[in-house]
């Protein structure tokens, strides 16, 4: 069975928010921060650390 990556991330995210109950501002900061880092010059620095 093959599951698309976006769907798996969505399921994990929804379950994480429901089970852990992080504050909404923390979720927004992580989403916005990840988006901004991925689209900046820092992406080339972060990429080897993530892999």
């Amino acid at each position: 069975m093959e599951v698309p990556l976006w769907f798996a991330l969505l399921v994990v995210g929804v379950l994480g928010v429901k089970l852990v109950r992080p504050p909404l501002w923390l979720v927004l900061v992580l989403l916005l921060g990840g988006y901004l880092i991925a689209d900046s010059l820092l992406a080339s620095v972060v990429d080897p650390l993530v892999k």
Side-chain angles (χ1 to χ4, degrees):
M1 182 170 97
E2 292 184 22
V3 178
L5 179 62
W6 65 267
F7 184 71
L9 291 175
L10 180 68
V11 169
V12 169
V14 168
L15 287 176
V17 168
K18 282 188 173 252
L19 296 175
V20 179
R21 294 276 186 199
L24 182 59
W25 65 265
L26 181 60
V27 174
L28 294 176
V29 165
L30 289 174
L31 288 173
L32 183 62
Y35 175 76
L36 292 175
I37 287 175
D39 198 33
S40 71
L41 294 175
L42 291 176
S44 60
V45 174
V46 175
D47 189 42
L49 298 174
V50 174
K51 289 182 180 180

